[in-house]
Amino acid sequence: MEFRDINDIETATTKSRKEMFRFGTALLFIIAIMLFSTQLQPDTADFSVELVIAAMIGGYMAMNIGANDVANNVGPAVGSKALTLTGAIILAAIFESSGAIIAGGEVISTIKKGIIDPALIDDSEVFMWLMMSALLAGALWLNLATALGAPVSTTHSIVGGVLGAGIAAAGWQVANWDQMGAIAASWVISPLIGGAIAAAFLFWIKRSITYQSDMIRAAKTMVPILIAIMAWAFSTYLILKGLKHIWKTDFLTALTIGFLIAFALYLLIRPRISRQAEQLDNDKSSINTLFTIPLIFAAALLSFAHGANDVANAVGPLAAINDAIQSHGVSTKATIPFWILLIGALGISIGLLLYGPKIIRTVGSEITELDQMRAFSIAMAAAITVIIASQLGLPVSSTHIAVGGIFGVGFLREYLKRNYAKTLQKIREHHKGSDSEEIEQFIQKFSQASLHQKKTMLSELKQNKAEIELSKKDRKSLNKVYQKELVKRSAFLKIVAAWIITVPASALLAALLYTLIHSFMMA
């Protein structure tokens, strides 16, 4: 066998070796949880196999949250090259774990989002298997979504699991259909609000900075203001959501504290931004670099808040099962022991390290092309939308918000590009003479003009009705330019389809699991 053939075989087996390593590492984590939870129960008289199984499933769920959901926090920063993939994974792992352990909460609601009525489930054993089925179903659905490269809501996955297992255990009347209606509405509300806010911020940045002839001067004024607004939004977001389990405060207090932090930061960074801007070239790519450090902080803060909030999706059902085993009853609230929080924190980090890169790439680069300004707009949308939704009582999904923000900036870019291409076509049609060199000089001057100057130039053109004859071929070429799609429709359709079926799929899976478990236990 030739050396080249051996090299080809080596290359072909590299992928399978990596997959085996990831699978083996994940399996070792689950085995470690099994051994650890066994050691927690030294008294064989009270030993609970159910708790050991639940702990293993909780760890599996936590890994799937890390693999799928964390990408929403760091994906845009990676896609814009503000962070490398390795740097993003390390940063997210640290802050997700910190959020889960420091601010993950001591007490949690046992029935996620109040979607089923616990009064109709008075048997602790039924409740325990119900929650276990819900947890496993949510984890399996997340695993499948990650394998397909679709970022989905972990909250909706576990909501669907609890709903399906609850109906299988106690019938249709156990479900809170009003609450389920609100959750279904959030499938539409979350991405729309996130997309609108992200698009609005990007448009503001374009009009106030990149559409100006002197971008450096505009950046000196606007970038400190934008960063201060970001600090205000993220401080408020962190106080309301990330620290809510260790420091409860009202919205007005959080908003005031956030404003004071933002104002202090504005005074601190304004001269630094001015000095940094002086060293840059007067072009968009240079101005983009001013948003790099804010994006890194945004990724860290989003990860911390996500760890504090979404660790409950993994350990909440586990805490409920632990409480049911200890109290021999069904409670609406359950204490989360530190060892359960630790399983959630480690599971999220391990899942992110092993399987996170796939979804991070999807979010960061496979939907639309991102730069720092666009990623900044998405981060702003993520924080502001959660703040607005929490005050309106809307059950929104952080995944839907972030991905909706990406769609928002992508579709805005399509709209602006098409409008600009149509404008160039009108210039060619209305400009005097038929000299192509004269037309291209005018277009070059138009492209370099500020927004105000562009309006003046277009106004002058409209006053002159002389037309330039364009061939049919030229017109078709121009039409293709402004019909260019900057959001990948295949990615868009795949993600939307995954969002729509998340709750039904996890509900059906949970119902099947509970029915199988119940049949086995009764046999």
Side-chain angles (χ1 to χ4, degrees), residues 105-246:
E106 296 179 356
V107 177
I108 192 169
S109 172
T110 57
I111 307 295
K112 183 70 178 176
K113 302 290 182 186
I115 58 171
I116 62 172
D117 184 0
L120 298 178
I121 307 169
D122 54 3
D123 188 327
S124 62
E125 189 169 344
V126 169
F127 178 76
M128 179 178 60
W129 290 114
L130 182 159
M131 297 304 289
M132 206 175 297
S133 301
L135 190 58
L136 182 56
L140 288 170
W141 170 248
L142 280 177
N143 199 332
L144 177 61
T146 302
L148 294 173
V152 297
S153 170
T154 56
T155 301
H156 288 182
S157 300
I158 196 66
V159 162
V162 171
L163 176 68
I167 291 173
W172 292 93
Q173 70 276 8
V174 78
N176 182 347
W177 294 111
D178 290 338
Q179 186 66 18
M180 283 307 302
I183 291 170
S186 77
W187 297 343
V188 178
I189 293 170
S190 299
L192 286 181
I193 296 177
I197 292 175
F201 265 97
L202 181 60
F203 189 62
W204 181 22
I205 291 171
K206 284 180 175 293
R207 283 185 65 92
S208 61
I209 301 176
T210 61
Y211 287 173
Q212 303 299 316
S213 54
D214 189 348
M215 295 186 198
I216 298 296
R217 182 180 177 184
K220 287 180 182 180
T221 302
M222 293 308 304
V223 172
I225 294 173
L226 287 164
I227 293 175
I229 293 172
M230 182 184 220
W232 190 6
F234 272 86
S235 299
T236 306
Y237 173 80
L238 196 62
I239 293 168
L240 287 176
K241 303 295 288 183
L243 302 175
K244 66 179 181 181
H245 294 300
I246 57 177

Side-chain angles (χ1 to χ4, degrees), residues 261-277:
I261 292 171
F263 184 69
L265 184 64
Y266 173 79
L267 296 177
L268 180 67
I269 65 170
R270 187 178 179 184
R272 298 187 181 188
I273 293 292
S274 182
R275 288 195 298 269
Q276 187 179 350

Side-chain angles (χ1 to χ4, degrees), residues 382-451:
I384 293 174
T385 305
V386 170
I387 293 170
I388 293 171
S390 65
Q391 295 313 299
L392 297 176
L394 298 174
V396 294
S397 161
S398 60
T399 300
H400 290 191
I401 294 167
V403 178
I406 295 171
F407 287 140
V409 300
F411 286 126
L412 174 68
R413 289 177 62 223
E414 281 191 7
Y415 173 77
L416 295 176
K417 290 278 187 184
R418 289 175 183 180
N419 272 5
Y420 188 69
K422 289 178 182 178
T423 300
L424 294 186
Q425 182 172 331
K426 288 178 182 178
I427 290 173
R428 288 183 166 94
E429 291 175 345
H430 290 87
H431 200 282
K432 285 183 178 180
S434 57
D435 185 356
S436 60
E437 185 176 343
E438 180 185 347
I439 297 173
E440 294 309 319
Q441 285 176 354
F442 184 90
I443 288 175
Q444 185 177 5
K445 181 181 177 182
F446 179 81
S447 300
Q448 295 172 349
S450 67
L451 189 64

Side-chain angles (χ1 to χ4, degrees), residues 95-106 233-249 254 300-311 341 382-383 386-387 390:
F95 282 90
E96 286 277 344
S97 300
S98 301
I101 294 172
I102 296 171
E106 296 179 356
F234 272 86
S235 299
T236 306
Y237 173 80
L238 196 62
I239 293 168
L240 287 176
K241 303 295 288 183
L243 302 175
K244 66 179 181 181
H245 294 300
I246 57 177
W247 177 32
K248 267 197 171 296
T249 187
L301 292 174
L302 283 171
S303 296
F304 183 90
H306 180 269
N309 283 293
D310 279 34
V311 70
L341 271 180
V386 170
I387 293 170
S390 65

